[in-house]
Amino acid sequence: MVDGTRRVVTKELEADAPRGRPRDEAREQAILDAAIALVAEIGYDAMSMEAVASRAGVSKATIYRRWNGKAELIADAIGRMHPQDEFADPDDTGSLRGDLMALISTMFAKISGIDGGLFCGLAVAMRADSDLGRLLDEGKRDYHERIQRLIVSRAQARGELPGSAEPPQLMDVVVGVSLLHLMSGRPLDSEFADYLVDRVLMPLLRS
Amino acid sequence: MVDGTRRVVTKELEADAPRGRPRDEAREQAILDAAIALVAEIGYDAMSMEAVASRAGVSKATIYRRWNGKAELIADAIGRMHPQDEFADPDDTGSLRGDLMALISTMFAKISGIDGGLFCGLAVAMRADSDLGRLLDEGKRDYHERIQRLIVSRAQARGELPGSAEPPQLMDVVVGVSLLHLMSGRPLDSEFADYLVDRVLMPLLRS
Amino acid sequence: MVDGTRRVVTKELEADAPRGRPRDEAREQAILDAAIALVAEIGYDAMSMEAVASRAGVSKATIYRRWNGKAELIADAIGRMHPQDEFADPDDTGSLRGDLMALISTMFAKISGIDGGLFCGLAVAMRADSDLGRLLDEGKRDYHERIQRLIVSRAQARGELPGSAEPPQLMDVVVGVSLLHLMSGRPLDSEFADYLVDRVLMPLLRS
Amino acid sequence: MVDGTRRVVTKELEADAPRGRPRDEAREQAILDAAIALVAEIGYDAMSMEAVASRAGVSKATIYRRWNGKAELIADAIGRMHPQDEFADPDDTGSLRGDLMALISTMFAKISGIDGGLFCGLAVAMRADSDLGRLLDEGKRDYHERIQRLIVSRAQARGELPGSAEPPQLMDVVVGVSLLHLMSGRPLDSEFADYLVDRVLMPLLRS
DNA sequence: TTTTAACCGAGACGGTACGTCACGTCTTGTG
DNA sequence: CACAAGACGTGACGTACCGTCTCGGTTAAAA
C-alpha cells in the first residue's frame, strides 16, 4: 500500500498489452474521495452508491467496474487513505513527557477525525475484506516503530531513560486504549491524555 | 441493566391500567437471542429483521412494537448480553503471572467470540444509540476494578508487589490492545498473551 | 377469461385461509390500466415499470408481487383488456353489404386503436406468455361466430344469400388481411373497406 | 431492395473522394446474419448489440458506424432477408388445388421460420422505421402478383377457371389469415392448409 | 514511399431501466 | 389490546444494455 503495490481488491486485468480505452485514473481517485467524505459525513449504511457516483461526477457502472460492491469500495478507500503529513517526524519538545504529549495530541486529532461513520464503515468493510486490517496495519507499523525509537533515543540522550530501555509497542497501547475510551462514550480530552502519559506510557518506558 | 432497570431505548407504555392482552415477555427474549445469534453468524447488515422474526418465531410487528428499528434492537441485544459466568471471581493460581495469564485467557475467549459480525454490529449500533457504549462500559467497569484489586492484593500478600502499587486500568489496556491486534488480522494466541503479560502488564504493575 | 376464471400468469397463492393483509384489488386494476395506457402511448420498450408504478400510484414492489416481469404484466393487461361494448350485436342496416361495411368500420376503429405500441407490445408479450394468443382468441371467437351467423341469417331472410351458404371464418380473414395491410404501411381507409367487402367477403359468402 | 438500391436507413457518406480505409463489406453481411440469427433464436429484446458484435466477430463501433441503433439494424436486416429460392416460379402440379397446396406449404415453411422472436422483432422494428413495412411489402408484392397470375392462367388453360376470373390478392389473404392463426397459438398444419384452400382460396377464385 | 484519413477491435464511460431485497408501516383476521 | 401474516411505499442494491467515446493499431488510396 505504501509502496507501489496496488490493493488486491481492485479488479485488475493486468493484460500485457492494454487494449481498449484505458481507465481514467482521475475518476478512480474522485470516487475514493467521495466515498471517504460521505462515510465520514453520514455513516456507512446511510451512504448510497448513487450518492458516491453523483458526488464523484461518475456513473454507477464506473464504480462497479472497479469494485465489487459497497463494502469493498469502502475497504479500499480507507486502506488508501493517508493524511499526507502522517509520516513526518515529530518535533523535539525538549523533554520525554513533552514528546509523548505532542504525539498523543496528534493521535487524538486523527482518531477524532475517524469518528462515527468512518470507524463504523471500517468495521463493516473489514468483514468484507479480511485483508483490510492487515494492510491498514502494515502501512502504519513501520512509522510507529520509527517514532517510538526516535522518542526513546532522544530521551536516552537527555538522560531521562536508561540505555537499556526496551519498551513494548507503545503506539498500539495508545491507539487501543483510546479507541476503547471512545467506544465507551468518553472524550479524548487533556485529562485522558495526562492519564495516558503519566500512568501508562511513562511507567512502561521506565520499567 | 444488570438490575431490573429497563433500557431506555425500549418503547414503554407504562400505562397505569394495562388494558388488553399483555405482552408476552418470552417473545422479547426470543427476539434478543435470535438477533444476537444472527449478527454473530452473518454480520450486522446481512441480518434482516425478517430473519430475526422468523428465527424467533415471531412476527415483524411484534419486534417493531418493542424497538424502533434494527440498530436499536441490536444495541439493546448487545447491551443485555452477559455471559452468566462473567462476574465470577477468578481462582488464585498461586502467582501474579499465573493470575494475569488466567485472566487474559478468559478475556481472549470472550473477545474471540465477539468476532466479526458482532463487533461490526456493535460499531454500527453505537452510531444509532450513543448511550450504548456508556451502558456497555458501566456494566463491566465495576467488575474490572474488583478483579484488578483482587489480583493486586493477592500479589501484595505474596510479596510480589509493593504495597504502594497503584497501577492504571489494566483491563482497558488488555481489551484495547487485544481489539487492535484482532483488527490487524493477527491471532489472539499464547505468544501474544505472553507479550501482553511480560512486556505490558507486569511492567505497569511494578512501576 | 371472460367468465370468472383468473389468468394463469398472475402469481396466486390460493390459500384456503387467506392470512395477512389481503391484496388491494383496486391497485391491481390501476396497474393494468396504467400499463395499457403507457404501451399505447409510447410503446412497449419505451415503457418503464417505474412509469407504470408512478402512473398507477403504486410502488414497483406491488407490481412485482403480482407479476414476474414486464412482458408478463403486458401479457396479462392485454389479455384482460375488453372494450365493454365489444360484445354488442350490430344493428341491421337493411342490406348484407351495409351490414358488412358497418362491421368492418367497427373493426377498423378497433384495430387502429391498437396501433403501434400496443400491437408491438402484444407481439413481445406473446413471446413471454404463449397462452396469451389463445386466451385473446378464445374470448373473441364465440362473439365472432355469433356475429357472422347473425349477418348471414339476416341476409338469408332478405333473400340475398341462399339457405345453403356455409362460409369460412370471415372475421379471421378481415382481421388478418387488415393487420397485414397495416403492417405494410397502408391505411385502413374506405377504399380498402370496399375492396375487402366487394372482392373478398361477398365472393366468399356467395360461393 | 431487390435491385441495387441500398436501404435508406444505412448511414452513407457518399463523399466525392472516399479517402482512408474503405469499409469492409464482408463485415456488413456478417452483422446482418448475426442479427437475424439472434432475433430468431432469443427474440428482439433479449438480443443485445454486444451479442451481435460478438457473434459477427466485429466490434460494437463497427455496427454503430453503419446503423443508428438496434431497431434500425433489425429493420434493415429483416428488410434485406430473402431466402434465395423465394422468387422462383412454383412447379406445375397438374391441378389448381395442387398448385395452391404447394404454394401454401412453401408459405407455411417460411412463416414458421419467422416464429416468435423474428416476428416480434419485426413488430418492434416497424415502430422505429415506418418505412420497413412498405419496403418489406414492395419487394414481395410483384412476386406475389406474378405467382398468382401464373397459377390462375394455368388453371384457365386447364379449364378449371373461367377466363374472366379476377380474384383479389390471394397471397395477402393467405399470409394474413395464417399469421392470425399463428398468433392464436394454433399450428400451421395440413388441416389448416385444407381449410384455407377449400374454404377460402378456391371459393375466391371461382367467384 | 510516405502521408493521411478512415476503418477496426477493445473496452471505458454516462445513462437508464431492470428485477431484487430490506426497512419500517399498515391492514387484515384471530385469540 | 397482542399477535401472525403479509401487503404496502420507499429507496438502495447490483446487473445489463444502450449508444458514445477514446485508445492503439491497421489498411489502402493520395501525395
Side-chain angles (χ1 to χ4, degrees):
Chain A
M1 190 193 95
V2 170
D3 52 24
T5 62
R6 293 279 301 284
R7 281 303 314 286
V8 178
V9 293
T10 311
K11 293 180 184 177
E12 294 179 72
L13 278 302
E14 228 58 90
D16 310 338
R19 305 210 296 172
R21 177 174 173 177
R23 287 190 182 166
D24 186 342
E25 293 299 327
R27 282 182 171 83
E28 191 134 341
Q29 196 54 51
I31 294 167
L32 292 170
D33 292 347
I36 287 292
L38 279 168
V39 168
E41 282 170 26
I42 58 177
Y44 177 79
D45 39 355
M47 179 206 86
S48 75
M49 296 300 264
E50 258 103 358
V52 175
S54 165
R55 179 179 292 214
V58 137
S59 81
K60 235 180 3 156
T62 298
I63 301 181
Y64 283 102
R65 211 171 284 119
R66 290 169 160 80
W67 296 277
N68 286 320
K70 186 171 173 175
E72 210 166 80
L73 167 62
I74 295 302
D76 201 19
I78 294 176
R80 295 207 215 174
M81 187 179 57
H82 44 26
Q84 53 279 29
D85 53 9
E86 179 168 16
F87 302 101
D89 286 348
D91 293 332
D92 187 339
T93 63
S95 74
L96 173 57
R97 194 178 189 282
D99 282 359
L100 290 173
M101 286 300 288
L103 183 64
I104 283 180
S105 293
T106 309
M107 187 70 69
F108 278 10
K110 200 169 303 176
I111 291 180
S112 296
I114 310 184
D115 72 332
L118 200 51
F119 174 62
C120 155
L122 190 146
V124 175
M126 270 178 49
R127 288 278 294 172
D129 180 6
S130 59
D131 295 331
L132 174 60
R134 195 174 42 70
L135 284 157
L136 282 178
D137 188 58
E138 280 170 8
K140 326 276 187 206
R141 181 149 305 280
D142 292 343
Y143 171 65
H144 286 170
E145 287 181 352
R146 195 175 76 241
I147 296 294
Q148 180 166 340
R149 269 197 302 273
L150 181 64
I151 290 181
V152 167
S153 61
R154 280 177 187 163
Q156 288 171 332
R158 290 189 207 100
E160 293 177 290
L161 288 178
S164 62
E166 196 182 334
Q169 300 282 5
L170 292 185
M171 298 302 278
D172 283 0
V173 175
V174 171
V175 174
V177 176
S178 299
L179 225 48
L180 205 63
H181 197 78
L182 210 54
M183 287 178 67
S184 300
R186 290 167 293 179
L188 299 180
D189 53 15
S190 64
E191 184 186 353
F192 180 62
D194 286 336
Y195 163 80
L196 220 47
V197 169
D198 296 328
R199 308 287 306 279
V200 181
L201 299 186
M202 295 291 279
L204 281 174
L205 284 167
R206 277 204 273 261
S207 69
Chain B
M1 188 193 95
V2 170
D3 51 27
T5 61
R6 294 281 298 281
R7 285 297 315 283
V8 176
V9 293
T10 310
K11 289 181 183 177
E12 295 178 72
L13 277 301
E14 233 54 273
D16 310 337
R19 305 211 307 167
R21 177 173 169 180
R23 285 190 185 168
D24 185 343
E25 292 299 326
R27 280 182 171 81
E28 190 133 340
Q29 195 54 50
I31 294 167
L32 292 169
D33 292 347
I36 287 293
L38 279 169
V39 168
E41 282 170 26
I42 58 176
Y44 177 79
D45 44 356
M47 179 205 85
S48 73
M49 295 300 262
E50 259 102 358
V52 174
S54 164
R55 179 177 294 212
V58 139
S59 83
K60 258 197 313 175
T62 299
I63 301 180
Y64 283 101
R65 210 172 284 121
R66 288 167 162 82
W67 296 275
N68 285 320
K70 184 171 172 176
E72 214 166 75
L73 167 62
I74 295 302
D76 200 20
I78 293 176
R80 293 207 215 175
M81 189 178 56
H82 49 283
Q84 52 278 26
D85 54 9
E86 178 168 16
F87 300 100
D89 286 347
D91 294 331
D92 187 339
T93 63
S95 73
L96 173 57
R97 195 178 188 282
D99 282 0
L100 291 173
M101 285 301 289
L103 184 63
I104 283 181
S105 293
T106 308
M107 189 71 69
F108 278 10
K110 202 169 303 177
I111 292 180
S112 296
I114 311 184
D115 71 332
L118 200 51
F119 174 62
C120 155
L122 191 147
V124 176
M126 272 178 49
R127 288 277 293 171
D129 180 7
S130 59
D131 296 331
L132 174 60
R134 195 175 40 72
L135 283 158
L136 280 178
D137 188 58
E138 280 171 8
K140 328 275 187 208
R141 181 151 303 278
D142 293 344
Y143 171 65
H144 285 171
E145 286 181 352
R146 196 175 75 239
I147 296 293
Q148 181 166 340
R149 270 197 303 273
L150 181 62
I151 290 179
V152 168
S153 60
R154 280 178 187 164
Q156 287 171 332
R158 287 187 209 105
E160 291 177 291
L161 289 178
S164 63
E166 199 182 332
Q169 302 281 6
L170 292 185
M171 299 301 279
D172 283 0
V173 175
V174 172
V175 175
V177 176
S178 299
L179 226 48
L180 206 63
H181 197 78
L182 211 54
M183 286 177 69
S184 301
R186 290 166 294 179
L188 299 181
D189 53 14
S190 65
E191 184 186 356
F192 180 63
D194 285 337
Y195 163 81
L196 220 48
V197 169
D198 295 328
R199 307 288 305 281
V200 181
L201 298 185
M202 295 293 279
L204 281 174
L205 285 167
R206 277 203 272 260
S207 71
Chain C
M1 189 193 95
V2 170
D3 50 23
T5 63
R6 292 280 301 284
R7 281 302 312 288
V8 178
V9 294
T10 311
K11 294 180 182 176
E12 293 178 72
L13 278 301
E14 227 59 88
D16 310 338
R19 305 213 296 174
R21 177 175 173 177
R23 287 190 182 165
D24 186 344
E25 293 298 327
R27 281 181 171 84
E28 191 135 339
Q29 195 54 51
I31 295 167
L32 292 169
D33 292 347
I36 287 292
L38 279 167
V39 168
E41 281 171 27
I42 59 178
Y44 177 80
D45 41 355
M47 179 205 87
S48 75
M49 294 301 263
E50 259 103 357
V52 174
S54 164
R55 178 178 293 213
V58 138
S59 79
K60 237 185 354 161
T62 297
I63 301 181
Y64 282 102
R65 210 171 284 120
R66 290 168 161 79
W67 296 275
N68 286 321
K70 187 171 172 175
E72 210 168 79
L73 167 61
I74 295 303
D76 201 20
I78 294 177
R80 294 208 215 174
M81 186 179 58
H82 48 286
Q84 53 277 32
D85 52 10
E86 179 169 15
F87 301 101
D89 286 346
D91 293 331
D92 186 339
T93 63
S95 74
L96 173 58
R97 194 176 191 282
D99 282 0
L100 290 174
M101 286 301 289
L103 183 65
I104 284 180
S105 294
T106 308
M107 187 72 67
F108 278 11
K110 201 169 303 174
I111 292 179
S112 296
I114 311 184
D115 72 331
L118 200 52
F119 175 61
C120 155
L122 190 147
V124 176
M126 271 179 48
R127 289 278 293 173
D129 179 7
S130 59
D131 295 331
L132 174 60
R134 195 172 42 70
L135 284 158
L136 281 177
D137 188 58
E138 280 170 8
K140 326 276 187 209
R141 181 151 303 281
D142 293 343
Y143 171 65
H144 286 170
E145 286 181 352
R146 196 175 75 239
I147 296 295
Q148 181 166 340
R149 268 197 304 273
L150 182 63
I151 291 180
V152 167
S153 61
R154 279 178 187 163
Q156 287 171 333
R158 286 189 210 102
E160 291 178 290
L161 289 178
S164 63
E166 199 182 335
Q169 301 280 7
L170 293 185
M171 300 300 279
D172 283 0
V173 174
V174 172
V175 174
V177 175
S178 298
L179 228 47
L180 204 65
H181 196 78
L182 212 54
M183 288 177 66
S184 300
R186 289 166 291 178
L188 298 180
D189 53 15
S190 65
E191 183 187 355
F192 180 62
D194 286 337
Y195 164 80
L196 220 48
V197 168
D198 295 328
R199 306 287 305 280
V200 180
L201 299 186
M202 295 291 279
L204 281 174
L205 284 167
R206 276 205 273 260
S207 69
Chain D
M1 188 194 97
V2 170
D3 51 24
T5 62
R6 294 280 299 283
R7 284 300 313 286
V8 177
V9 294
T10 310
K11 290 180 181 177
E12 293 178 71
L13 276 302
E14 234 57 88
D16 309 337
R19 305 218 305 170
R21 176 177 172 178
R23 287 190 183 165
D24 185 343
E25 293 298 327
R27 281 182 171 83
E28 191 133 339
Q29 194 55 50
I31 294 167
L32 292 169
D33 292 347
I36 287 291
L38 280 168
V39 168
E41 282 171 26
I42 58 178
Y44 177 79
D45 45 356
M47 180 205 86
S48 74
M49 295 302 262
E50 259 103 359
V52 174
S54 165
R55 179 177 293 210
V58 138
S59 81
K60 254 197 315 175
T62 298
I63 300 181
Y64 282 100
R65 211 171 284 121
R66 290 167 161 81
W67 295 275
N68 286 320
K70 185 171 172 175
E72 215 167 74
L73 167 61
I74 294 303
D76 201 19
I78 293 177
R80 294 209 215 173
M81 189 178 55
H82 44 52
Q84 53 280 28
D85 53 8
E86 180 170 15
F87 300 100
D89 286 347
D91 293 332
D92 186 339
T93 64
S95 74
L96 172 57
R97 194 176 189 284
D99 282 3
L100 290 173
M101 286 300 290
L103 184 65
I104 284 181
S105 293
T106 308
M107 187 70 68
F108 278 9
K110 201 169 302 175
I111 292 179
S112 297
I114 310 183
D115 71 333
L118 199 53
F119 175 61
C120 154
L122 189 147
V124 176
M126 271 178 49
R127 289 276 293 172
D129 179 6
S130 58
D131 295 332
L132 173 60
R134 196 173 42 70
L135 283 158
L136 280 178
D137 188 59
E138 280 171 6
K140 325 275 187 208
R141 182 152 302 282
D142 293 344
Y143 171 65
H144 285 171
E145 287 180 351
R146 196 175 76 240
I147 295 296
Q148 181 167 341
R149 269 197 303 273
L150 181 63
I151 289 180
V152 167
S153 61
R154 279 177 187 164
Q156 289 171 329
R158 286 190 210 101
E160 292 178 290
L161 289 177
S164 63
E166 198 181 334
Q169 301 281 5
L170 293 184
M171 299 301 280
D172 283 1
V173 174
V174 171
V175 174
V177 175
S178 298
L179 225 48
L180 206 63
H181 196 78
L182 211 54
M183 287 177 68
S184 300
R186 289 166 294 179
L188 299 181
D189 52 16
S190 64
E191 184 187 354
F192 181 61
D194 286 337
Y195 164 79
L196 220 48
V197 169
D198 296 327
R199 308 287 304 281
V200 180
L201 299 186
M202 294 292 280
L204 281 174
L205 284 167
R206 277 205 271 261
S207 70

